[in-house]
């Protein structure tokens, strides 16, 4: 039997599965980076009356969480994670307009970009996709960003997080330039600053004044969720004073 015949024989009719098995199958399909199957599964759940938030959390985000854990543990590698993230994006593209209509707030928002002088973007793109996969709204500034680009995006999007990426030892010090500029303008504490990139480490993150260094995209997701939750909890405990 040819591979093609074998594949056809093994092809599953997603619509024939009960909800719990379909969700389990979607987790497997996400893991395998099967975008079309994820899109089909998303449509089926919506047609069965699932709300977009439930589809996002139970079918997509839960599936990506498994991918994130296995990436962190060295079971999955960059190409597989990029495929999974791409499949996730397919599902999210269907849900996004529906989520916007429900007014459900995103888990958090972030601006991210590779710093001035640096054109490496594979790791940053992975972080962006994983953040989106975790339900965050992400504004990606691309590569080679001078401080002005970050300032403009922060002003425009007012995100929870500013993320910066650098892959060169010659460009990583630029992160300090950005943080110092935020300081100078008195807006440093308005944002959670997260940094990442292969040549960085924990100590460097502290030295440039970031809130945290993220070793990889999975850590970037965990750190973002943790720090956003802490920040929201703190703002409930200490409401910001409003001028009379
Ligand atoms: Co370049 N490059 N490169 N390169 N390149 C490195 C980084 C290098 C280590 C290779 C080497 O010499 N061994 C070296 C840097 C040496 C140093 O600074 N000490 C190097 C060099 C020297 C250069 C050039 C100067 C080469 C030249 O022209 N002479 C040049 C620089 C251009 C420039 O930026 N101005 C250059 C160019 C390029 C390409 C264009 C060819 C290409 C980039 C393509 C692209 O990105 N679109 C490229 C590549 C691919 C690499 C390597 C091979 C791979 C980088 C990568 O994508 N890794 C790299 C060697 C290596 O690292 N093995 C190398 C996979 C990626 C998933 O990992 O980016 O670490 P990473 O991201 C991880 C984490 O770091 C973290 O999460 C990601 C996912 O887990 N993370 C974040 C990253 N950003 C984050 C941001 C966050 C959080 C986490 O924000 C919150």
């Amino acid at each position: 039997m040819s591979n093609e015949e074998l594949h056809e024989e093994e092809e599953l009719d997603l619509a024939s599965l009960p909800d719990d098995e379909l969700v389990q199958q979607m987790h497997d399909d996400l893991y395998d980076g099967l975008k079309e199957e994820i899109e089909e599964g998303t449509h089926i759940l919506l047609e069965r009356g699932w709300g977009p938030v439930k589809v996002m959390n139970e079918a997509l985000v839960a599936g990506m969480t498994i991918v994130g854990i296995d990436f962190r543990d060295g079971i999955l590698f960059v190409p597989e994670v990029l495929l999974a993230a791409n499949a996730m994006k397919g599902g999210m593209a269907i849900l996004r307009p529906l989520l916007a209509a429900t007014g459900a707030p995103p888990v958090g928002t972030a601006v991210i970009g590779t710093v001035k002088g640096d054109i490496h973007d594979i790791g940053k793109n992975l972080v962006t996709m994983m953040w989106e996969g975790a339900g965050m709204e992400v504004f990606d500034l691309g590569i080679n960003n001078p401080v002005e680009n970050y300032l403009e995006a922060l002003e425009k999007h007012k995100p929870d997080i500013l993320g910066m990426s650098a892959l060169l030892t010659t460009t990583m010090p630029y992160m300090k330039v950005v943080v110092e500029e935020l300081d100078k303008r008195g807006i440093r504490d308005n944002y959670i600053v997260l940094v990442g990139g292969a040549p960085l480490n924990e100590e460097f993150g502290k030295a440039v004044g970031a809130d945290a260094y993220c070793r990889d995209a999975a850590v970037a997701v965990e750190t973002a969720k943790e720090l956003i939750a802490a920040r929201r909890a703190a703002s409930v405990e200490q409401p910001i004073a409003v001028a009379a």
Side-chain angles (χ1 to χ4, degrees), residues 3-37:
N3 276 347
E4 215 170 287
E5 282 167 335
L6 192 71
H7 182 70
E8 269 172 27
E9 197 178 85
E10 282 176 351
E11 226 166 64
L12 257 179
D13 177 12
L14 293 178
S16 70
L17 298 175
D19 287 6
D20 55 341
E21 284 179 32
L22 175 58
V23 167
Q24 186 55 53
Q25 185 59 42
M26 286 175 74
H27 293 175
D28 292 348
D29 288 345
L30 255 183
Y31 199 91
D32 294 334
L34 302 176
K35 188 177 182 192
E36 276 177 28
E37 283 76 355

PDB file of all heavy atoms in Angstrom, residues 3-37:
ATOM      1  N   ASN A   3       2.064   5.213   0.574  1.00  0.00           N
ATOM      2  CA  ASN A   3       1.888   6.121   1.717  1.00  0.00           C
ATOM      3  C   ASN A   3       0.598   6.916   1.597  1.00  0.00           C
ATOM      4  O   ASN A   3      -0.103   7.162   2.575  1.00  0.00           O
ATOM      5  CB  ASN A   3       3.059   7.108   1.796  1.00  0.00           C
ATOM      6  CG  ASN A   3       4.218   6.492   2.528  1.00  0.00           C
ATOM      7  OD1 ASN A   3       4.057   5.455   3.174  1.00  0.00           O
ATOM      8  ND2 ASN A   3       5.377   7.119   2.425  1.00  0.00           N
ATOM      9  N   GLU A   4       0.324   7.296   0.323  1.00  0.00           N
ATOM     10  CA  GLU A   4      -0.876   8.115   0.072  1.00  0.00           C
ATOM     11  C   GLU A   4      -2.150   7.341   0.433  1.00  0.00           C
ATOM     12  O   GLU A   4      -3.046   7.842   1.108  1.00  0.00           O
ATOM     13  CB  GLU A   4      -0.916   8.494  -1.399  1.00  0.00           C
ATOM     14  CG  GLU A   4      -1.499   9.882  -1.635  1.00  0.00           C
ATOM     15  CD  GLU A   4      -1.275  10.280  -3.063  1.00  0.00           C
ATOM     16  OE1 GLU A   4      -0.121  10.587  -3.424  1.00  0.00           O
ATOM     17  OE2 GLU A   4      -2.263  10.237  -3.798  1.00  0.00           O
ATOM     18  N   GLU A   5      -2.168   6.058  -0.013  1.00  0.00           N
ATOM     19  CA  GLU A   5      -3.335   5.212   0.276  1.00  0.00           C
ATOM     20  C   GLU A   5      -3.489   5.002   1.784  1.00  0.00           C
ATOM     21  O   GLU A   5      -4.574   5.088   2.333  1.00  0.00           O
ATOM     22  CB  GLU A   5      -3.179   3.859  -0.424  1.00  0.00           C
ATOM     23  CG  GLU A   5      -3.493   3.925  -1.904  1.00  0.00           C
ATOM     24  CD  GLU A   5      -3.012   2.659  -2.626  1.00  0.00           C
ATOM     25  OE1 GLU A   5      -2.075   2.002  -2.126  1.00  0.00           O
ATOM     26  OE2 GLU A   5      -3.567   2.359  -3.669  1.00  0.00           O
ATOM     27  N   LEU A   6      -2.322   4.779   2.409  1.00  0.00           N
ATOM     28  CA  LEU A   6      -2.326   4.569   3.858  1.00  0.00           C
ATOM     29  C   LEU A   6      -2.896   5.799   4.553  1.00  0.00           C
ATOM     30  O   LEU A   6      -3.747   5.724   5.442  1.00  0.00           O
ATOM     31  CB  LEU A   6      -0.891   4.313   4.320  1.00  0.00           C
ATOM     32  CG  LEU A   6      -0.710   3.800   5.726  1.00  0.00           C
ATOM     33  CD1 LEU A   6      -1.212   2.355   5.790  1.00  0.00           C
ATOM     34  CD2 LEU A   6       0.772   3.813   6.125  1.00  0.00           C
ATOM     35  N   HIS A   7      -2.446   6.990   4.087  1.00  0.00           N
ATOM     36  CA  HIS A   7      -2.875   8.252   4.675  1.00  0.00           C
ATOM     37  C   HIS A   7      -4.386   8.426   4.521  1.00  0.00           C
ATOM     38  O   HIS A   7      -5.091   8.765   5.465  1.00  0.00           O
ATOM     39  CB  HIS A   7      -2.115   9.394   4.015  1.00  0.00           C
ATOM     40  CG  HIS A   7      -2.472  10.727   4.593  1.00  0.00           C
ATOM     41  ND1 HIS A   7      -2.110  11.094   5.863  1.00  0.00           N
ATOM     42  CD2 HIS A   7      -3.169  11.762   4.092  1.00  0.00           C
ATOM     43  CE1 HIS A   7      -2.558  12.299   6.111  1.00  0.00           C
ATOM     44  NE2 HIS A   7      -3.217  12.727   5.052  1.00  0.00           N
ATOM     45  N   GLU A   8      -4.862   8.117   3.246  1.00  0.00           N
ATOM     46  CA  GLU A   8      -6.298   8.276   2.988  1.00  0.00           C
ATOM     47  C   GLU A   8      -7.121   7.373   3.901  1.00  0.00           C
ATOM     48  O   GLU A   8      -8.138   7.764   4.456  1.00  0.00           O
ATOM     49  CB  GLU A   8      -6.599   7.941   1.532  1.00  0.00           C
ATOM     50  CG  GLU A   8      -6.524   9.180   0.642  1.00  0.00           C
ATOM     51  CD  GLU A   8      -6.628   8.827  -0.822  1.00  0.00           C
ATOM     52  OE1 GLU A   8      -7.240   7.792  -1.125  1.00  0.00           O
ATOM     53  OE2 GLU A   8      -6.072   9.580  -1.637  1.00  0.00           O
ATOM     54  N   GLU A   9      -6.618   6.107   4.042  1.00  0.00           N
ATOM     55  CA  GLU A   9      -7.351   5.151   4.858  1.00  0.00           C
ATOM     56  C   GLU A   9      -7.417   5.619   6.318  1.00  0.00           C
ATOM     57  O   GLU A   9      -8.398   5.445   7.003  1.00  0.00           O
ATOM     58  CB  GLU A   9      -6.657   3.799   4.763  1.00  0.00           C
ATOM     59  CG  GLU A   9      -7.560   2.661   5.224  1.00  0.00           C
ATOM     60  CD  GLU A   9      -6.854   1.327   5.073  1.00  0.00           C
ATOM     61  OE1 GLU A   9      -6.119   0.961   5.999  1.00  0.00           O
ATOM     62  OE2 GLU A   9      -7.041   0.683   4.049  1.00  0.00           O
ATOM     63  N   GLU A  10      -6.293   6.270   6.749  1.00  0.00           N
ATOM     64  CA  GLU A  10      -6.213   6.691   8.148  1.00  0.00           C
ATOM     65  C   GLU A  10      -6.950   8.002   8.410  1.00  0.00           C
ATOM     66  O   GLU A  10      -7.150   8.389   9.543  1.00  0.00           O
ATOM     67  CB  GLU A  10      -4.742   6.898   8.542  1.00  0.00           C
ATOM     68  CG  GLU A  10      -4.021   5.595   8.801  1.00  0.00           C
ATOM     69  CD  GLU A  10      -2.552   5.816   9.080  1.00  0.00           C
ATOM     70  OE1 GLU A  10      -2.083   6.958   8.904  1.00  0.00           O
ATOM     71  OE2 GLU A  10      -1.896   4.854   9.458  1.00  0.00           O
ATOM     72  N   GLU A  11      -7.315   8.715   7.313  1.00  0.00           N
ATOM     73  CA  GLU A  11      -7.921  10.034   7.492  1.00  0.00           C
ATOM     74  C   GLU A  11      -9.189   9.944   8.344  1.00  0.00           C
ATOM     75  O   GLU A  11     -10.054   9.100   8.114  1.00  0.00           O
ATOM     76  CB  GLU A  11      -8.247  10.638   6.132  1.00  0.00           C
ATOM     77  CG  GLU A  11      -7.806  12.090   6.067  1.00  0.00           C
ATOM     78  CD  GLU A  11      -7.815  12.580   4.655  1.00  0.00           C
ATOM     79  OE1 GLU A  11      -8.924  12.622   4.087  1.00  0.00           O
ATOM     80  OE2 GLU A  11      -6.746  12.924   4.136  1.00  0.00           O
ATOM     81  N   LEU A  12      -9.255  10.846   9.300  1.00  0.00           N
ATOM     82  CA  LEU A  12     -10.371  10.811  10.243  1.00  0.00           C
ATOM     83  C   LEU A  12     -11.461  11.765   9.812  1.00  0.00           C
ATOM     84  O   LEU A  12     -11.163  12.845   9.297  1.00  0.00           O
ATOM     85  CB  LEU A  12      -9.852  11.315  11.586  1.00  0.00           C
ATOM     86  CG  LEU A  12      -9.555  10.336  12.692  1.00  0.00           C
ATOM     87  CD1 LEU A  12      -9.030  11.107  13.896  1.00  0.00           C
ATOM     88  CD2 LEU A  12     -10.788   9.554  13.067  1.00  0.00           C
ATOM     89  N   ASP A  13     -12.706  11.361  10.037  1.00  0.00           N
ATOM     90  CA  ASP A  13     -13.792  12.289   9.792  1.00  0.00           C
ATOM     91  C   ASP A  13     -14.015  13.039  11.106  1.00  0.00           C
ATOM     92  O   ASP A  13     -14.643  12.513  12.030  1.00  0.00           O
ATOM     93  CB  ASP A  13     -15.040  11.502   9.372  1.00  0.00           C
ATOM     94  CG  ASP A  13     -16.234  12.422   9.173  1.00  0.00           C
ATOM     95  OD1 ASP A  13     -16.017  13.657   9.132  1.00  0.00           O
ATOM     96  OD2 ASP A  13     -17.358  11.911   9.072  1.00  0.00           O
ATOM     97  N   LEU A  14     -13.477  14.260  11.179  1.00  0.00           N
ATOM     98  CA  LEU A  14     -13.533  15.008  12.444  1.00  0.00           C
ATOM     99  C   LEU A  14     -14.970  15.230  12.908  1.00  0.00           C
ATOM    100  O   LEU A  14     -15.264  15.191  14.099  1.00  0.00           O
ATOM    101  CB  LEU A  14     -12.810  16.349  12.296  1.00  0.00           C
ATOM    102  CG  LEU A  14     -11.286  16.295  12.085  1.00  0.00           C
ATOM    103  CD1 LEU A  14     -10.722  17.697  11.918  1.00  0.00           C
ATOM    104  CD2 LEU A  14     -10.603  15.583  13.234  1.00  0.00           C
ATOM    105  N   ALA A  15     -15.858  15.442  11.919  1.00  0.00           N
ATOM    106  CA  ALA A  15     -17.254  15.746  12.268  1.00  0.00           C
ATOM    107  C   ALA A  15     -17.942  14.572  12.951  1.00  0.00           C
ATOM    108  O   ALA A  15     -18.977  14.746  13.607  1.00  0.00           O
ATOM    109  CB  ALA A  15     -18.016  16.159  11.015  1.00  0.00           C
ATOM    110  N   SER A  16     -17.400  13.357  12.791  1.00  0.00           N
ATOM    111  CA  SER A  16     -18.056  12.189  13.390  1.00  0.00           C
ATOM    112  C   SER A  16     -17.674  12.009  14.865  1.00  0.00           C
ATOM    113  O   SER A  16     -18.241  11.176  15.564  1.00  0.00           O
ATOM    114  CB  SER A  16     -17.667  10.921  12.616  1.00  0.00           C
ATOM    115  OG  SER A  16     -16.303  10.628  12.867  1.00  0.00           O
ATOM    116  N   LEU A  17     -16.693  12.787  15.339  1.00  0.00           N
ATOM    117  CA  LEU A  17     -16.219  12.603  16.717  1.00  0.00           C
ATOM    118  C   LEU A  17     -17.071  13.382  17.714  1.00  0.00           C
ATOM    119  O   LEU A  17     -17.500  14.507  17.415  1.00  0.00           O
ATOM    120  CB  LEU A  17     -14.771  13.099  16.841  1.00  0.00           C
ATOM    121  CG  LEU A  17     -13.721  12.379  15.987  1.00  0.00           C
ATOM    122  CD1 LEU A  17     -12.357  13.071  16.133  1.00  0.00           C
ATOM    123  CD2 LEU A  17     -13.614  10.916  16.390  1.00  0.00           C
ATOM    124  N   PRO A  18     -17.329  12.794  18.885  1.00  0.00           N
ATOM    125  CA  PRO A  18     -18.000  13.583  19.933  1.00  0.00           C
ATOM    126  C   PRO A  18     -17.055  14.695  20.407  1.00  0.00           C
ATOM    127  O   PRO A  18     -15.839  14.621  20.179  1.00  0.00           O
ATOM    128  CB  PRO A  18     -18.254  12.564  21.051  1.00  0.00           C
ATOM    129  CG  PRO A  18     -17.313  11.439  20.785  1.00  0.00           C
ATOM    130  CD  PRO A  18     -17.017  11.425  19.318  1.00  0.00           C
ATOM    131  N   ASP A  19     -17.609  15.697  21.103  1.00  0.00           N
ATOM    132  CA  ASP A  19     -16.823  16.894  21.455  1.00  0.00           C
ATOM    133  C   ASP A  19     -15.482  16.576  22.121  1.00  0.00           C
ATOM    134  O   ASP A  19     -14.453  17.097  21.732  1.00  0.00           O
ATOM    135  CB  ASP A  19     -17.631  17.798  22.400  1.00  0.00           C
ATOM    136  CG  ASP A  19     -18.751  18.513  21.681  1.00  0.00           C
ATOM    137  OD1 ASP A  19     -18.961  18.215  20.484  1.00  0.00           O
ATOM    138  OD2 ASP A  19     -19.420  19.358  22.306  1.00  0.00           O
ATOM    139  N   ASP A  20     -15.525  15.719  23.161  1.00  0.00           N
ATOM    140  CA  ASP A  20     -14.288  15.493  23.915  1.00  0.00           C
ATOM    141  C   ASP A  20     -13.204  14.837  23.055  1.00  0.00           C
ATOM    142  O   ASP A  20     -12.026  15.202  23.119  1.00  0.00           O
ATOM    143  CB  ASP A  20     -14.555  14.679  25.193  1.00  0.00           C
ATOM    144  CG  ASP A  20     -15.257  13.366  24.902  1.00  0.00           C
ATOM    145  OD1 ASP A  20     -15.856  13.243  23.817  1.00  0.00           O
ATOM    146  OD2 ASP A  20     -15.195  12.459  25.748  1.00  0.00           O
ATOM    147  N   GLU A  21     -13.625  13.916  22.176  1.00  0.00           N
ATOM    148  CA  GLU A  21     -12.635  13.261  21.308  1.00  0.00           C
ATOM    149  C   GLU A  21     -12.134  14.221  20.227  1.00  0.00           C
ATOM    150  O   GLU A  21     -10.968  14.167  19.827  1.00  0.00           O
ATOM    151  CB  GLU A  21     -13.237  12.016  20.650  1.00  0.00           C
ATOM    152  CG  GLU A  21     -13.338  10.850  21.618  1.00  0.00           C
ATOM    153  CD  GLU A  21     -13.967   9.620  20.981  1.00  0.00           C
ATOM    154  OE1 GLU A  21     -13.789   9.406  19.763  1.00  0.00           O
ATOM    155  OE2 GLU A  21     -14.667   8.884  21.705  1.00  0.00           O
ATOM    156  N   LEU A  22     -13.038  15.089  19.767  1.00  0.00           N
ATOM    157  CA  LEU A  22     -12.623  16.062  18.754  1.00  0.00           C
ATOM    158  C   LEU A  22     -11.578  17.016  19.340  1.00  0.00           C
ATOM    159  O   LEU A  22     -10.556  17.316  18.711  1.00  0.00           O
ATOM    160  CB  LEU A  22     -13.848  16.853  18.250  1.00  0.00           C
ATOM    161  CG  LEU A  22     -13.555  17.997  17.282  1.00  0.00           C
ATOM    162  CD1 LEU A  22     -12.818  17.508  16.039  1.00  0.00           C
ATOM    163  CD2 LEU A  22     -14.856  18.696  16.859  1.00  0.00           C
ATOM    164  N   VAL A  23     -11.816  17.466  20.577  1.00  0.00           N
ATOM    165  CA  VAL A  23     -10.861  18.378  21.224  1.00  0.00           C
ATOM    166  C   VAL A  23      -9.516  17.679  21.403  1.00  0.00           C
ATOM    167  O   VAL A  23      -8.458  18.243  21.104  1.00  0.00           O
ATOM    168  CB  VAL A  23     -11.429  18.882  22.577  1.00  0.00           C
ATOM    169  CG1 VAL A  23     -10.360  19.563  23.408  1.00  0.00           C
ATOM    170  CG2 VAL A  23     -12.596  19.839  22.326  1.00  0.00           C
ATOM    171  N   GLN A  24      -9.563  16.424  21.839  1.00  0.00           N
ATOM    172  CA  GLN A  24      -8.326  15.645  22.010  1.00  0.00           C
ATOM    173  C   GLN A  24      -7.597  15.514  20.659  1.00  0.00           C
ATOM    174  O   GLN A  24      -6.382  15.684  20.567  1.00  0.00           O
ATOM    175  CB  GLN A  24      -8.690  14.260  22.565  1.00  0.00           C
ATOM    176  CG  GLN A  24      -7.483  13.401  22.919  1.00  0.00           C
ATOM    177  CD  GLN A  24      -6.530  14.102  23.883  1.00  0.00           C
ATOM    178  OE1 GLN A  24      -6.959  14.563  24.926  1.00  0.00           O
ATOM    179  NE2 GLN A  24      -5.271  14.220  23.504  1.00  0.00           N
ATOM    180  N   GLN A  25      -8.391  15.249  19.611  1.00  0.00           N
ATOM    181  CA  GLN A  25      -7.809  15.114  18.264  1.00  0.00           C
ATOM    182  C   GLN A  25      -7.190  16.447  17.823  1.00  0.00           C
ATOM    183  O   GLN A  25      -6.132  16.470  17.188  1.00  0.00           O
ATOM    184  CB  GLN A  25      -8.910  14.676  17.279  1.00  0.00           C
ATOM    185  CG  GLN A  25      -8.396  14.392  15.873  1.00  0.00           C
ATOM    186  CD  GLN A  25      -7.344  13.290  15.844  1.00  0.00           C
ATOM    187  OE1 GLN A  25      -7.477  12.274  16.525  1.00  0.00           O
ATOM    188  NE2 GLN A  25      -6.277  13.485  15.069  1.00  0.00           N
ATOM    189  N   MET A  26      -7.840  17.559  18.181  1.00  0.00           N
ATOM    190  CA  MET A  26      -7.285  18.875  17.804  1.00  0.00           C
ATOM    191  C   MET A  26      -5.966  19.124  18.529  1.00  0.00           C
ATOM    192  O   MET A  26      -5.043  19.719  17.967  1.00  0.00           O
ATOM    193  CB  MET A  26      -8.301  19.985  18.073  1.00  0.00           C
ATOM    194  CG  MET A  26      -9.432  19.978  17.043  1.00  0.00           C
ATOM    195  SD  MET A  26     -10.713  21.178  17.419  1.00  0.00           S
ATOM    196  CE  MET A  26      -9.902  22.713  16.995  1.00  0.00           C
ATOM    197  N   HIS A  27      -5.865  18.681  19.774  1.00  0.00           N
ATOM    198  CA  HIS A  27      -4.579  18.823  20.486  1.00  0.00           C
ATOM    199  C   HIS A  27      -3.489  18.058  19.717  1.00  0.00           C
ATOM    200  O   HIS A  27      -2.388  18.566  19.509  1.00  0.00           O
ATOM    201  CB  HIS A  27      -4.677  18.278  21.916  1.00  0.00           C
ATOM    202  CG  HIS A  27      -5.572  19.079  22.802  1.00  0.00           C
ATOM    203  ND1 HIS A  27      -5.873  18.720  24.086  1.00  0.00           N
ATOM    204  CD2 HIS A  27      -6.246  20.249  22.587  1.00  0.00           C
ATOM    205  CE1 HIS A  27      -6.691  19.603  24.628  1.00  0.00           C
ATOM    206  NE2 HIS A  27      -6.939  20.542  23.727  1.00  0.00           N
ATOM    207  N   ASP A  28      -3.838  16.838  19.268  1.00  0.00           N
ATOM    208  CA  ASP A  28      -2.867  16.026  18.515  1.00  0.00           C
ATOM    209  C   ASP A  28      -2.532  16.707  17.183  1.00  0.00           C
ATOM    210  O   ASP A  28      -1.377  16.735  16.756  1.00  0.00           O
ATOM    211  CB  ASP A  28      -3.425  14.621  18.226  1.00  0.00           C
ATOM    212  CG  ASP A  28      -3.579  13.798  19.501  1.00  0.00           C
ATOM    213  OD1 ASP A  28      -3.056  14.223  20.549  1.00  0.00           O
ATOM    214  OD2 ASP A  28      -4.239  12.743  19.446  1.00  0.00           O
ATOM    215  N   ASP A  29      -3.568  17.257  16.520  1.00  0.00           N
ATOM    216  CA  ASP A  29      -3.340  17.890  15.216  1.00  0.00           C
ATOM    217  C   ASP A  29      -2.497  19.162  15.349  1.00  0.00           C
ATOM    218  O   ASP A  29      -1.670  19.465  14.486  1.00  0.00           O
ATOM    219  CB  ASP A  29      -4.687  18.213  14.537  1.00  0.00           C
ATOM    220  CG  ASP A  29      -5.384  16.943  14.043  1.00  0.00           C
ATOM    221  OD1 ASP A  29      -4.715  15.886  13.972  1.00  0.00           O
ATOM    222  OD2 ASP A  29      -6.586  17.003  13.745  1.00  0.00           O
ATOM    223  N   LEU A  30      -2.710  19.887  16.449  1.00  0.00           N
ATOM    224  CA  LEU A  30      -1.880  21.074  16.697  1.00  0.00           C
ATOM    225  C   LEU A  30      -0.421  20.644  16.878  1.00  0.00           C
ATOM    226  O   LEU A  30       0.495  21.233  16.309  1.00  0.00           O
ATOM    227  CB  LEU A  30      -2.327  21.764  17.986  1.00  0.00           C
ATOM    228  CG  LEU A  30      -3.125  23.043  17.886  1.00  0.00           C
ATOM    229  CD1 LEU A  30      -3.395  23.581  19.279  1.00  0.00           C
ATOM    230  CD2 LEU A  30      -2.409  24.100  17.073  1.00  0.00           C
ATOM    231  N   TYR A  31      -0.264  19.624  17.658  1.00  0.00           N
ATOM    232  CA  TYR A  31       1.070  19.083  17.939  1.00  0.00           C
ATOM    233  C   TYR A  31       1.761  18.706  16.628  1.00  0.00           C
ATOM    234  O   TYR A  31       2.961  18.897  16.464  1.00  0.00           O
ATOM    235  CB  TYR A  31       0.930  17.857  18.839  1.00  0.00           C
ATOM    236  CG  TYR A  31       2.180  17.461  19.576  1.00  0.00           C
ATOM    237  CD1 TYR A  31       2.454  17.970  20.844  1.00  0.00           C
ATOM    238  CD2 TYR A  31       3.085  16.564  19.017  1.00  0.00           C
ATOM    239  CE1 TYR A  31       3.596  17.597  21.541  1.00  0.00           C
ATOM    240  CE2 TYR A  31       4.232  16.189  19.702  1.00  0.00           C
ATOM    241  CZ  TYR A  31       4.485  16.706  20.967  1.00  0.00           C
ATOM    242  OH  TYR A  31       5.617  16.341  21.640  1.00  0.00           O
ATOM    243  N   ASP A  32       0.961  18.178  15.679  1.00  0.00           N
ATOM    244  CA  ASP A  32       1.523  17.751  14.395  1.00  0.00           C
ATOM    245  C   ASP A  32       1.518  18.869  13.357  1.00  0.00           C
ATOM    246  O   ASP A  32       1.873  18.649  12.192  1.00  0.00           O
ATOM    247  CB  ASP A  32       0.719  16.550  13.848  1.00  0.00           C
ATOM    248  CG  ASP A  32       0.880  15.318  14.739  1.00  0.00           C
ATOM    249  OD1 ASP A  32       1.920  15.222  15.424  1.00  0.00           O
ATOM    250  OD2 ASP A  32      -0.026  14.474  14.758  1.00  0.00           O
ATOM    251  N   GLY A  33       1.074  20.069  13.756  1.00  0.00           N
ATOM    252  CA  GLY A  33       1.114  21.222  12.844  1.00  0.00           C
ATOM    253  C   GLY A  33       0.147  21.130  11.683  1.00  0.00           C
ATOM    254  O   GLY A  33       0.423  21.646  10.595  1.00  0.00           O
ATOM    255  N   LEU A  34      -1.005  20.484  11.867  1.00  0.00           N
ATOM    256  CA  LEU A  34      -1.954  20.288  10.758  1.00  0.00           C
ATOM    257  C   LEU A  34      -2.978  21.440  10.724  1.00  0.00           C
ATOM    258  O   LEU A  34      -4.031  21.378  11.365  1.00  0.00           O
ATOM    259  CB  LEU A  34      -2.660  18.932  10.918  1.00  0.00           C
ATOM    260  CG  LEU A  34      -1.726  17.711  10.967  1.00  0.00           C
ATOM    261  CD1 LEU A  34      -2.500  16.432  11.231  1.00  0.00           C
ATOM    262  CD2 LEU A  34      -0.934  17.599   9.663  1.00  0.00           C
ATOM    263  N   LYS A  35      -2.629  22.453   9.965  1.00  0.00           N
ATOM    264  CA  LYS A  35      -3.435  23.683   9.945  1.00  0.00           C
ATOM    265  C   LYS A  35      -4.872  23.452   9.450  1.00  0.00           C
ATOM    266  O   LYS A  35      -5.830  23.922  10.075  1.00  0.00           O
ATOM    267  CB  LYS A  35      -2.727  24.715   9.062  1.00  0.00           C
ATOM    268  CG  LYS A  35      -3.356  26.079   9.104  1.00  0.00           C
ATOM    269  CD  LYS A  35      -2.557  27.060   8.275  1.00  0.00           C
ATOM    270  CE  LYS A  35      -3.165  28.436   8.353  1.00  0.00           C
ATOM    271  NZ  LYS A  35      -2.610  29.339   7.356  1.00  0.00           N
ATOM    272  N   GLU A  36      -5.004  22.726   8.325  1.00  0.00           N
ATOM    273  CA  GLU A  36      -6.354  22.526   7.760  1.00  0.00           C
ATOM    274  C   GLU A  36      -7.272  21.808   8.751  1.00  0.00           C
ATOM    275  O   GLU A  36      -8.453  22.147   8.882  1.00  0.00           O
ATOM    276  CB  GLU A  36      -6.270  21.698   6.476  1.00  0.00           C
ATOM    277  CG  GLU A  36      -5.949  22.559   5.273  1.00  0.00           C
ATOM    278  CD  GLU A  36      -5.782  21.731   4.016  1.00  0.00           C
ATOM    279  OE1 GLU A  36      -6.382  20.650   3.921  1.00  0.00           O
ATOM    280  OE2 GLU A  36      -5.019  22.178   3.141  1.00  0.00           O
ATOM    281  N   GLU A  37      -6.722  20.807   9.432  1.00  0.00           N
ATOM    282  CA  GLU A  37      -7.513  20.047  10.408  1.00  0.00           C
ATOM    283  C   GLU A  37      -7.930  20.944  11.576  1.00  0.00           C
ATOM    284  O   GLU A  37      -9.047  20.849  12.086  1.00  0.00           O
ATOM    285  CB  GLU A  37      -6.718  18.847  10.937  1.00  0.00           C
ATOM    286  CG  GLU A  37      -6.633  17.667   9.992  1.00  0.00           C
ATOM    287  CD  GLU A  37      -5.655  17.852   8.837  1.00  0.00           C
ATOM    288  OE1 GLU A  37      -5.089  18.959   8.693  1.00  0.00           O
ATOM    289  OE2 GLU A  37      -5.457  16.903   8.072  1.00  0.00           O
TER     290      GLU A  37
END
